[in-house]
Amino acid sequence: MTTPNTERARQALTTLSEDEVLFRDSVYAFADREIRPFAREMDEHATLRPDLIPKLFDLGVMGIEIPDSHGGGGASFFHAVLAVEALSRVDPSIAVLVDVQNTLVINAILKWGGSEIADRLLPRLASTAIGAYALSEAGSGSDAFALTTRATQQGDDWLITGRKLWITNGNEADLFIVFANVKPDAGHRGITAFLVERGAAGFTIGRKEDKLGIRASSTCELLFEDCRVSAANVLGEVGKGYKVAIETLNEGRIGIGAQMVGLAQGALDHTITYVKERKQFGKAIGDFQAVQHQIARAATEIEAARLLVYNAARLRDAGRPFLTEAAMGKIFSSEVAERVASLAVNLFGGNGFVKDYPVEKLYRDAKIGQIYEGTSNLQLQTIAKQLMA
Ligand SMILES: Cc1cc2nc3c(=O)[nH]c(=O)nc-3n(C[C@H](O)[C@H](O)[C@H](O)COP(=O)(O)OP(=O)(O)OC[C@H]3O[C@@H](n4cnc5c(N)ncnc54)[C@H](O)[C@@H]3O)c2cc1C
């Protein structure tokens, strides 16, 4: 018996529920209205407009998976992916702020925080508090578990000492998930995740990086010197922080895939508008078949990237294995984002090379997708490991 058409349509990965469509469209409308007019200025000054933060909370994108009972949206991980994609279509810098908040920080707390931590922190994260996720250090990036930040026990408390690097949202965050080793002799089995509040004694925010792209997103150094954290602020178990880190990042990179899909779509949107308007040889450049084919190829690649990312997110929400799919989604979508943004620059001609038009920024922004939350080489390693197992 053949499957009815409606059933088939429901099975398509890009078929969204009514609620998902409304959510995605409201986030995009917000981004178009509240972010687009300021994207260039925020990029130029490498600052996030502070008034955007309360607006993002009001929009409901800062606590997407937090249950209603704790003041959040009570929605799915897939909703977070839709929000990140929609924001990134306009500004990937704002998308990553929302991405880290939802797919790393809240995600880790929902999974590893007990009811005390959930009751204490989730209502804040849903309403006013921004989170950051501090794993990387100067000497430990891809080899994340070589981290040298230490935590030593003193009575019921822990004292953290060390230096974190590259921490997204460092400038704005109120709450930091910080990974430190409590027992270096035990290697990665000493790694523990701690929840550290901004302003804690012994904790300072260091240098903010001056970046190639996603410049409105802050990327900061964090310094800890005997920073006291109570035992109640251990996230998960002592010595199990490596699991918190791996499992959270495995999911988080689906969000980066969504950021790259959104970026690529944004670049294509601008390009289609431009090639219909720009005239050479007496007609719109979009009338040339060579240009149409380049656009068609870009759209095809974006759709393929979106399918990979949506599939990984749907698998994650269904509680099914998604590790390979998430890695494939991230590597592919970040490469597509770079290619499509590059094409956009080409098709804008000289205008693609200057800051008066939005595509040069997207070209710079695209590069980060192949670096953070596991470089492309590391994604390939993950995929190969699964295939060869
Ligand atoms: C803008 C920005 C935001 C960031 N935000 C955060 C954040 O919020 N929290 C956080 O903890 N970190 C964050 N990071 C850090 C980021 O995750 C790391 O930069 C990334 O994991 C790569 O580490 P690395 O820079 O030390 O590069 P390295 O690990 O030194 O890698 C350099 C090159 O060597 C390759 N390489 C390394 N090992 C292997 C191997 N075994 N096989 C093959 N190739 C290999 C890599 O693929 C890469 O091409 C951020 C970084 C940036 C730039």
Side-chain angles (χ1 to χ4, degrees), residues 146-166:
L147 61 86
T148 60
T149 297
R150 300 284 176 253
T152 49
Q153 201 157 19
Q154 199 179 71
D156 280 346
D157 294 342
W158 293 90
L159 295 180
I160 301 178
T161 296
R163 177 171 161 253
K164 295 288 175 184
L165 209 59
W166 311 117

Side-chain angles (χ1 to χ4, degrees), residues 207-227:
R207 197 173 90 101
K208 183 174 147 231
E209 303 297 337
D210 186 7
K211 307 196 298 291
L212 171 73
I214 57 162
R215 289 170 54 78
S217 158
S218 66
T219 309
C220 301
E221 179 190 30
L222 310 180
L223 304 157
F224 300 90
E225 203 179 328
D226 285 340
C227 172

Side-chain angles (χ1 to χ4, degrees), residues 133 135-136 141-142 166-168 368 371-373 375 377 381:
Y133 187 88
L135 178 64
S136 303
S142 299
W166 311 117
I167 308 309
T168 301
I368 192 59
I371 299 172
Y372 59 14
E373 295 201 30
T375 65
N377 278 356
Q381 214 171 72

Side-chain angles (χ1 to χ4, degrees), residues 124-201:
R124 276 179 61 205
L125 285 162
S127 57
T128 56
I130 292 182
Y133 187 88
L135 178 64
S136 303
E137 299 181 2
S140 63
S142 299
D143 186 10
F145 296 156
L147 61 86
T148 60
T149 297
R150 300 284 176 253
T152 49
Q153 201 157 19
Q154 199 179 71
D156 280 346
D157 294 342
W158 293 90
L159 295 180
I160 301 178
T161 296
R163 177 171 161 253
K164 295 288 175 184
L165 209 59
W166 311 117
I167 308 309
T168 301
N169 297 350
N171 225 22
E172 298 81 20
D174 304 281
L175 183 74
F176 296 75
I177 298 181
V178 179
F179 294 87
N181 201 319
V182 300
K183 204 175 168 195
D185 296 349
H188 70 275
R189 291 183 189 282
I191 294 174
T192 304
F194 295 92
L195 293 157
V196 184
E197 296 279 349
R198 184 185 204 87

Side-chain angles (χ1 to χ4, degrees), residues 105-128:
V105 177
I106 290 169
N107 194 7
I109 291 176
L110 282 170
K111 183 156 184 199
W112 301 93
S115 58
E116 189 279 322
I117 286 181
D119 292 347
R120 179 158 51 95
L121 297 179
L122 291 179
R124 276 179 61 205
L125 285 162
S127 57
T128 56

